[in-house]
Amino acid sequence: MRATHNGRTTTVPLLHNDGPFHLRRLRSRGEQARVCVLGAMSAPLGGDRLALDITVETRARLEVTSAAATIALRGPTTAPATYDVRIRVGDHATLYWLPEPLISTRDSTLHQTFTVDLAPTSRLLMREGQLLGRSGEPPGHLTTRLTVRRGGRPILDQHTAYGRPAPAWDGPAVLGTHHATGQLLLVDPVFDAPQESRVIGDDPAEGHAVLTPLAAPQALIATAVAPTPAQLRDLLDSALAYAYESPRAQVEGQR
């Protein structure tokens, strides 16, 4: 998909889909275009090779959501599936990536990557969640890698692995008894991120998030674990609210 700004508002002149993904335009919100990713069939299955390319051109504003959770399944083969999301955001452009969680089911294997290239003046809000196993079942094997470059320079390169054969993924130093995990990444050129890490959540049994600044002064990431996807989203929303309510961010926003 490709979003452009025509001088008045954002349009989506290119929206091409094939295979298990169907891309649908939603009603715009002001100058912001919106696209929903629909699942036309079960995917990703073992052996699938899936990719999604998103380009947000200069001054365009785009929100991408999904209609339902993405479910990784074993399928007819034990071969791993891959799902690559490639994102490019241009000067003074904005992307909100806000899909529903990914569910890793028993015996599935999925390798997911996100490659994000940002202009120095672009803005990104990216929320990702994973549910490890459906009710009463263990998860499959899920790996994710998130690589973010801003102005050609790396600001984040993160790799995670859950489910067998990943070591200690359900130990107390990683997920413990929790089944939902995810992160929220914020990059905003008019935002001065808090310089201290902060833990969000009073009761570890209900989940908690850690808000951490990145190398770039206008970027931060919140990583959370929780018993359920709903609690996970609440924690990530609380982390985002704290980031914008911190005194440092408020001072920068008033400049």
Side-chain angles (χ1 to χ4, degrees), residues 21 61 124 127 145 168 172 174 193 200 203 211 229-230 235 241 247 255:
F21 295 141
R61 296 171 57 90
L124 173 71
R127 185 183 66 219
R145 183 169 184 176
V174 188
I200 308 294
D203 184 359
L211 187 68
L235 286 167
R255 293 179 182 174

Side-chain angles (χ1 to χ4, degrees), residues 2-5 55-61 88-93:
R2 179 168 59 89
T4 65
H5 195 274
T55 299
V56 187
E57 296 186 350
T58 301
R59 298 192 180 279
R61 296 171 57 90
R88 292 172 292 277
V89 186
D91 285 318
H92 303 286

Side-chain angles (χ1 to χ4, degrees), residues 9-58:
T9 190
T10 299
T11 63
V12 186
L14 176 62
L15 203 61
H16 174 73
N17 52 258
D18 193 8
F21 295 141
H22 180 75
L23 307 178
R24 176 176 295 178
R25 292 178 178 85
L26 301 177
R27 182 177 302 221
S28 298
R29 198 173 280 152
E31 293 188 11
Q32 179 175 296
R34 300 168 65 224
V35 173
C36 183
V37 181
L38 301 173
M41 60 184 75
S42 295
L45 302 174
D48 282 352
R49 299 289 182 267
L50 308 176
L52 183 61
D53 287 279
I54 303 171
T55 299
V56 187
E57 296 186 350
T58 301

Side-chain angles (χ1 to χ4, degrees), residues 148-221:
V148 183
R149 292 183 290 266
R150 187 182 188 204
R153 301 180 63 181
I155 62 171
L156 178 66
D157 192 351
Q158 175 178 283
H159 180 268
T160 59
Y162 304 108
R164 297 178 63 185
W169 65 273
D170 57 351
V174 188
L175 292 185
T177 59
H178 297 303
H179 296 281
T181 183
Q183 57 198 6
L184 184 143
L185 173 65
L186 173 65
V187 183
D188 190 336
V190 300
F191 172 70
D192 203 359
Q195 294 304 293
E196 313 84 22
S197 297
R198 180 178 175 86
V199 176
I200 308 294
D202 299 325
D203 184 359
E206 298 298 318
H208 51 265
V210 177
L211 187 68
T212 306
L214 299 180
Q218 296 90 18
L220 58 80
I221 189 169

Side-chain angles (χ1 to χ4, degrees), residues 21 37 43-44 50 66 68-72 83 99-104 110 112:
F21 295 141
V37 181
L50 308 176
S66 63
T70 300
I71 304 177
Y83 181 16
E100 295 299 314
L102 170 78
I103 302 175
S104 173
L110 175 63
Q112 186 172 35

Side-chain angles (χ1 to χ4, degrees), residues 85-108:
V85 180
R86 299 181 284 262
I87 295 171
R88 292 172 292 277
V89 186
D91 285 318
H92 303 286
T94 300
L95 173 66
Y96 297 96
W97 170 263
L98 304 171
E100 295 299 314
L102 170 78
I103 302 175
S104 173
T105 66
R106 182 198 299 263
D107 296 329
S108 66

